[in-house]
Amino acid sequence: MKKTGAGSSIQGRSSNRFTKAKIKNKIAFLWVCLLLNTAAVCAQTTTDISHEDALKAVLAAKEKAEDSKVLVNIAVVDAGANLKAFIRMDDSYLGSIDVAIKKAKTSRYFDINTGDLGKLTQPGGIIYNIELTNDGLVTFPGGVPIKNKEGKIIGAIGVSGGTIEQDHDIATVGANAILE
Amino acid sequence: MKKTGAGSSIQGRSSNRFTKAKIKNKIAFLWVCLLLNTAAVCAQTTTDISHEDALKAVLAAKEKAEDSKVLVNIAVVDAGANLKAFIRMDDSYLGSIDVAIKKAKTSRYFDINTGDLGKLTQPGGIIYNIELTNDGLVTFPGGVPIKNKEGKIIGAIGVSGGTIEQDHDIATVGANAILE
Amino acid sequence: MKKTGAGSSIQGRSSNRFTKAKIKNKIAFLWVCLLLNTAAVCAQTTTDISHEDALKAVLAAKEKAEDSKVLVNIAVVDAGANLKAFIRMDDSYLGSIDVAIKKAKTSRYFDINTGDLGKLTQPGGIIYNIELTNDGLVTFPGGVPIKNKEGKIIGAIGVSGGTIEQDHDIATVGANAILE
Amino acid sequence: MKKTGAGSSIQGRSSNRFTKAKIKNKIAFLWVCLLLNTAAVCAQTTTDISHEDALKAVLAAKEKAEDSKVLVNIAVVDAGANLKAFIRMDDSYLGSIDVAIKKAKTSRYFDINTGDLGKLTQPGGIIYNIELTNDGLVTFPGGVPIKNKEGKIIGAIGVSGGTIEQDHDIATVGANAILE
């Protein structure tokens, strides 16, 4: 508070300097909190697909399949390549259950579209017979990574039952659905 | 059609008898069709769960789990014990993916609540160690057959991640959902 | 029943109309039953092979093999790709037990003659190495879908032990036997 | 042949010796043939169940099951414990496919009724947990060795789907059928 007269002038200037210092300390303190907080949050997070998004991806893919009049199996795995969601459309191939799941896993294992992996695995290819690893990989199209809005891979989707082009398109629709 | 006079009376009665005969034949014919149709369709059919119902069962079970504040994995298999639908709730046990799927399969393999099978498999039990068959059975609660409105088993649901009582309750809610 | 006199005439015509109405209702009711019955039965059904037909297919295939002087293993799976019937002819290859069963499963998994699947799985093929899925697929001839009289796939038969052409022919005879 | 007179006497004795020698040679030759023949037969035989008998056993067991109004899976293995014949009755447990096959194999592996093996495998038993060997053994009743008329074990039959008592009885009927 300001007092009248010369004495109050001197006290006022001292008071101002003290207040500014307090404010600067407070700001510095807040920055430290912010940095520590982010570090604390980052230290404990994994970008992973939620079950809501996994279901969203599966249902979007299923809708695309129905529009294309194709019967497919659709699997989503999470960031750890563990099964997160799955649906088998009526009358789709029984054999495609395992193929769809393996496509999703393969895609997440190598963060790649399964068809792109397959370009390298043919006889003469640089990773020939890699399909024999990991309890069986599938290296033809239909498996696609799922990314979040920051572009970070958080899982993958695998589709099987149509032609390989249809499988890839349906999987892509499913993967993109969570960005909407 | 009736004509005037006695002659029309006689023709009318004859016409009536003929019409009645035709109608009776038609009824008999329809009954035969009904029976044959039922027989023909039943001769080689197995009732199976649709993907709509499988999804319905999974989502109903998931809602029950959320109400109970339990995190679970939920799997549905069809009449042939093949995977039909699956969801893993965020932060539920990773190990429960396989347990849920095996509970559903076990339940369909033997048309039984998995916990009831388990009463027979303990040391001293009549089917001790049956868990070693069929690539691994799960014989504690959480697997429940799914029946249609006629009471015919068309698949099964398996839930894992809560207590065994919670798993069984959640599975039961899922199974019953398709009857609504 | 007719009564004598004018009053009975009127009652008779009324009685006739009532009876006709009843009969028409009955016919309509039966039609509804027929349609509902068909609908109800069809809503959740999968056509499946009976054990009588599975045995018939196996024995017909065995007879064909004997005529061709070939020693084979013959397996039939049902609509869910589960083993339904099997026979191993004396002195046929032991290794062909598993091959025959896998041919039947492969055929049912993808509703295809196994040899046709194999045209797509060679190096450079669009589904290269799919044999690594589903616990092992067999993609050379000898596996054939089994259809019912309506053309619906209800299972599959797999034959192994002769040349691939013989295996395919024997399997075909077995599949066709149930249509007789 | 004897001739008269002294000369004939000498010739007669020479002739006798020659004949005796011939006879001895013939007998020796026959012995050699017999031994060689036995050796030849022994070198190439294994007492093994024929596919005709395997089918006979399966069908007899199936008939017994139908009489008892029980739905079962029936498997027969040969002397090498390899699958020889199999049938799954309509609507019998899917899980019993594998149990029936494993019962037959277990029975042949140890030439024992599976239920008798199970008396030794309980906690505290002398061969506790033997079920974990051989890709899974089944040690409750339903598996029975198949013997030929000489009492030699030539295979085994496994039945699953009824109570353990029913399974054992049905299997026994199947095994005995080939002795008729």
Side-chain angles (χ1 to χ4, degrees), chain D residues 110-122:
Chain D
F110 298 101
D111 292 339
I112 193 169
N113 291 343
T114 47
D116 291 337
L117 190 65
K119 293 175 186 170
L120 310 171
T121 68
Q122 293 282 339

Side-chain angles (χ1 to χ4, degrees), chain B residues 161-177:
Chain B
T163 63
I164 51 175
E165 292 81 12
Q166 287 171 326
D167 289 345
H168 175 79
D169 290 346
I170 292 163
T172 303
V173 165
N176 289 340

